[in-house]
Amino acid sequence: MRFRHPDGTTVHLAYCSNVHQAEDLDGVIGQLATYAEPVRENLGADLLGIGLWLARDVVTELSADPDAVRRLRAELTARGLETVTLNAFPYGGFHREVVKKDVYLPDWADPARLDYTVDCARVLAGLLPDDARRGSVSTLPLAWRTPWPAGARDSARRALDQLASRLAESARETGRTIRVGFEPEPGCVVENTVQAARELGGVDPEWLGICLDTCHLAVQFEEPAAALRRIADAGLPVVKVQASSALQADDPADPEARRALARFAEPRFLHQTRTAPNGTVTGVDDLPEALAGGLDPHSPWRVHFHAPLHAAPEPPLSTTASELTASLGALLGGPRAVSDHIEVETYTWSVLPEHLRPHDRAGLVAGLAAELAWTRDRFEELGLKPLSGSEPLS
């Protein structure tokens, strides 16, 4: 979906396809008909954005075959869909039985990460709508924090310089501008905006910047407006935003809250958990560790579990939806749009507690549409106007 900000900027809203299990081209194309087009129809929209996750094998196939890129773009167009952003954080295997820390591999000290990201950018250049101003690709925040020796940091920094150079080269060849955003995440080398300013400051802002995930921002107890000022002061553009909510327990010492939290302690994804007594953020790497006594239970916990945007879990648990609303306000509620690519990224539908999980295609379609409708309503409250797919972009 497209919206016009009061400053004239076109803001693109999409949902991220990493919620779907597909790691070959036929699977990616199949999910457009099975899920994305029905989501669009459910919303009554004539055009829906989908932020594609393309695993390494899919990107390899597309990179080697321009006809395959044209086929994918034609399928998007035929179904009233558009892609202006890719999620290139997971490299592959995102729906394996156990993912956990493997999602951070390869990291930015490994040349494979650079090659994959550049290939994603080149594929996206072929998928962008003709009238889109630019595209965006999100990636991991360098690496998981351990091990991360000085040599790895140096290798990663050289890779970022190469990335900017190769994105510029691709733009000259294709005529399309693609920027890459690094996504701070709890537990990583860059887990908050303070570390983003330190580790990423000085990169070429024409090509590189930040992908701001609002769940991660909330888990780290960062205040949105202050975080955006910090990013801006470091000269880092917000290339992309992932609209997401974290799970919250106001009183994690309460036995009922602990029983409820335990239902979210699932084996596939990592659920970093943080608390901030007296304003000092402390945490552990996964929810089971917190429940086993690894985290102070006398102040609220926030859990890196992307919760559906439109629906809170049963009390005594809640979500950080109010922090998401504040983040959207800081990004889009001012005189200018801080970012123009917003992607709803709730990839956890399949691992929600059984009683909250959609059990068929229709249930997932309805849930994704409800998240997008919730976000659309927040946009309109901030003064953004919906655009039809046929209206010209700014």
Side-chain angles (χ1 to χ4, degrees):
M1 291 186 284
R2 299 175 173 189
F3 297 81
R4 180 67 43 77
H5 188 272
D7 72 358
T9 299
T10 298
V11 177
H12 296 266
L13 175 63
Y15 87 90
C16 185
S17 75
N18 65 356
V19 65
H20 307 309
Q21 183 172 354
E23 298 203 24
D24 58 64
L25 182 56
D26 287 341
V28 170
I29 288 174
Q31 72 192 14
L32 303 180
T34 303
Y35 297 104
E37 185 177 14
V39 169
R40 179 184 62 76
E41 293 169 343
N42 187 301
L43 287 163
D46 64 346
L47 182 67
L48 175 66
I50 180 163
L52 291 175
W53 170 56
L54 303 175
R56 171 76 265 190
D57 288 348
V58 181
V59 172
T60 298
E61 181 178 354
L62 291 167
S63 298
D65 185 359
D67 286 340
V69 176
R70 286 189 284 269
R71 176 190 172 205
L72 177 54
R73 179 172 173 166
E75 289 284 347
L76 289 163
T77 301
R79 301 188 184 284
L81 308 171
E82 69 172 1
T83 292
V84 301
T85 187
L86 299 185
N87 185 335
F89 194 132
Y91 190 83
F94 193 58
H95 288 269
R96 293 199 310 261
E97 189 173 336
V98 178
V99 178
K100 299 292 184 180
K101 293 179 184 177
D102 286 350
V103 76
Y104 308 107
L105 298 174
D107 62 36
W108 273 98
D110 187 332
R113 176 59 66 172
L114 172 63
D115 291 341
Y116 169 59
T117 307
V118 172
D119 286 348
C120 283
R122 287 183 172 275
V123 167
L124 179 56
L127 297 176
L128 275 182
D130 292 339
D131 59 354
R133 183 180 176 191
R134 59 179 167 239
S136 63
V137 176
S138 51
T139 186
L140 70 155
L142 302 184
W144 185 251
R145 70 183 184 280
T146 56
W148 191 244
R153 177 174 278 106
D154 293 343
S155 295
R157 192 64 188 211
R158 289 192 295 271
L160 301 197
D161 291 340
Q162 293 176 55
L163 175 61
S165 177
R166 291 171 69 177
L167 291 171
E169 178 185 359
S170 176
R172 288 191 295 270
E173 292 175 359
T174 65
R176 309 311 303 268
T177 296
I178 309 295
R179 300 191 297 176
V180 172
F182 295 83
E183 181 185 332
E185 178 171 318
C188 293
V189 171
V190 177
E191 68 173 0
N192 54 41
T193 58
V194 172
Q195 294 173 350
R198 182 179 68 233
E199 298 290 340
L200 298 170
V203 299
D204 188 338
E206 184 174 359
W207 305 105
L208 308 181
I210 297 297
C211 170
L212 192 69
D213 186 301
T214 60
C215 169
H216 304 171
L217 196 72
V219 169
Q220 289 295 136
F221 288 85
E222 294 202 71
E223 195 278 319
L228 290 177
R229 285 194 298 272
R230 197 173 295 122
I231 292 168
D233 289 346
L236 295 166
V238 181
V239 168
K240 172 180 175 178
V241 175
Q242 287 177 326
S244 52
S245 286
L247 190 66
Q248 178 161 312
D250 290 328
D251 181 10
D254 174 21
E256 183 67 23
R258 298 181 78 82
R259 283 191 291 271
L261 283 168
R263 290 193 283 271
F264 288 85
E266 55 82 33
R268 179 177 298 162
F269 299 118
L270 202 61
H271 299 298
Q272 303 93 312
T273 305
R274 299 287 187 266
T275 190
N278 304 313
T280 301
V281 179
T282 61
V284 294
D285 288 342
D286 210 352
L287 179 56
E289 184 181 352
L291 291 169
L295 194 61
D296 177 9
H298 298 104
S299 60
W301 288 1
R302 291 179 179 174
V303 183
H304 176 218
F305 194 114
H306 286 216
L309 305 189
H310 64 291
E314 296 94 336
L317 300 185
S318 60
T319 73
T320 59
S322 60
E323 283 74 16
L324 168 56
T325 299
S327 294
L328 292 174
L331 287 157
L332 300 174
R336 67 179 187 88
V338 177
S339 186
D340 55 356
H341 289 181
I342 316 292
E343 177 184 71
V344 171
E345 198 218 8
T346 307
Y347 58 84
T348 48
W349 284 94
S350 65
V351 295
L352 286 169
E354 187 72 21
H355 66 293
L356 300 176
R357 189 181 308 171
H359 293 290
D360 56 21
R361 181 197 65 84
L364 180 55
V365 166
L368 293 169
E371 290 193 293
L372 287 161
W374 183 94
T375 310
R376 176 195 62 203
D377 292 347
R378 304 291 83 73
F379 280 19
E380 294 185 8
E381 289 169 1
L382 293 168
L384 279 71
K385 304 297 184 185
L387 297 176
S388 71
S390 60
E391 290 185 64
L393 302 190
S394 59

